[in-house]
Amino acid sequence: MVRRHELTNAQWERIAGLLPETGSPGGRWADHRTVVNGVLYRTRTGIPWRDLPERYGSWQTVYERHRRWSADGTWSRILRALQAGADATAPDADGSWAVNVDSTLCRAHQHAAGARHAPPADHPEKGVAPVWTKGREALGRSRGGMTSKVHLLADDRCRPLVWLTSPGQRGDSPMFIPLMQALNVARTGIGRPRTRPDRARGDKAYSSRANRVYLRKRGIKATIAQPDDQRAKRRRRGRTGGRPPAFDREQYRQRNTVERTIGKLKQHRAVATRYDKRDYIFNGTLATAAIVIWLRDLIKEPSDTA
């Protein structure tokens, strides 16, 4: 029987081959499916690890495997495999591939503070996707308390493509170029990964000269709203102000897909409220939530429960 927040048989078959091998013969190694379901249950409900239902086995085992797979990039590799061919499965009306950018604040629980500054013991110093940076836990302090910010790129089918975390007080515009540079979608057939979409959509927070120049140099169409102060400044300069940037209102209406993607991610309570002390573990939690979103999009089953 498949319980709420657990993988169906079809979903499990989709990712089973992407998981690491089990332990050595003769050793005791908890079943991968049981552990994965335990991780997903905790991500969705946000309960403390110690309060996991007994059907998932030892909570230490579930937590340790989630921590390990967050450190070595296992969750990221699974998500990357599910994303293969995303540029072909989410085409725009004209057949092009568009991405949408936005950010969201995640309130950090008081237990998220106080992390040690040492790297995880099994963190790979050299790898294709480093997940830990010294002195960076993406926690910021404000009048409302501790917060983390998730900067996200999503496609037109409300599926997360890539994200970066930062302290909550960090601005949106400075993170746009690093976010675009992190975009890397594998092809389903022969060819290099897709790193350049045909169009990028964003709200007024991303309207800066540096961002527009970056998109222009890479041949990416920009659909970014311009704030009133930038318009007024251009008018005051007269002829030297240059022409206003092109803006397609019909295209801009589709930017809501990234906001809907954020809503899907925050249905997982361990994402809406950050409980993880370490940034690399919080990114692993984000990856598990994204994996669920992708599996539900790729495998449509009437038995899926919200």
Side-chain angles (χ1 to χ4, degrees), residues 44-249:
R44 182 59 189 261
T45 61
I47 62 174
W49 290 103
R50 293 175 182 269
D51 294 339
L52 275 177
E54 295 182 358
R55 63 176 177 268
Y56 299 119
S58 170
W59 70 267
Q60 292 100 327
T61 300
V62 180
Y63 165 74
E64 181 60 26
R65 206 167 299 180
H66 173 59
R67 187 200 66 78
R68 184 182 304 165
W69 288 353
S70 298
D72 64 15
T74 296
W75 292 126
S76 299
R77 287 192 293 271
I78 294 173
L79 179 61
R80 178 174 167 77
L82 295 176
Q83 290 176 342
D87 58 329
T89 58
D92 203 358
D94 57 359
S96 60
W97 181 43
V99 297
N100 309 279
V101 60
D102 205 352
S103 68
T104 182
L105 281 175
C106 298
R107 181 68 181 270
H109 194 271
Q110 60 183 351
H111 294 165
R116 293 179 294 180
H117 296 289
D122 52 1
H123 171 71
E125 294 297 331
K126 295 182 180 179
V128 295
V131 294
W132 180 82
T133 303
K134 184 177 180 180
R136 179 184 180 275
E137 297 300 343
L139 279 174
R141 290 187 178 274
S142 63
R143 295 173 64 181
M146 293 185 299
T147 54
S148 291
K149 182 175 282 190
V150 179
H151 307 265
L152 177 71
L153 280 182
D155 64 12
D156 286 347
R157 286 174 60 169
C158 301
R159 302 177 300 187
L161 296 173
V162 66
W163 63 83
L164 295 174
T165 55
S166 72
Q169 72 273 13
R170 186 70 184 273
D172 292 346
S173 185
M175 296 295 292
F176 177 73
I177 293 178
L179 196 60
M180 293 294 295
Q181 291 173 339
L183 182 63
N184 190 298
V185 176
R187 305 275 191 176
T188 53
I190 300 175
R192 293 179 297 176
R194 183 78 181 269
T195 61
R196 187 180 63 182
D198 300 301
R199 182 183 297 274
R201 308 187 188 101
D203 60 18
K204 296 179 181 179
Y206 299 95
S207 179
S208 72
R209 182 181 299 273
N211 292 343
R212 294 183 186 276
V213 169
Y214 172 81
L215 294 176
R216 191 181 307 116
K217 287 183 176 179
R218 298 195 64 195
I220 303 172
K221 296 179 181 179
T223 304
I224 302 175
Q226 192 176 32
D228 294 338
D229 61 333
Q230 292 184 8
R231 295 179 184 175
K233 181 179 180 181
R234 187 185 66 253
R235 294 193 188 100
R236 286 196 302 267
R237 296 180 62 185
R239 293 183 177 180
T240 60
R243 293 180 299 176
F247 181 70
D248 190 329
R249 292 185 179 275

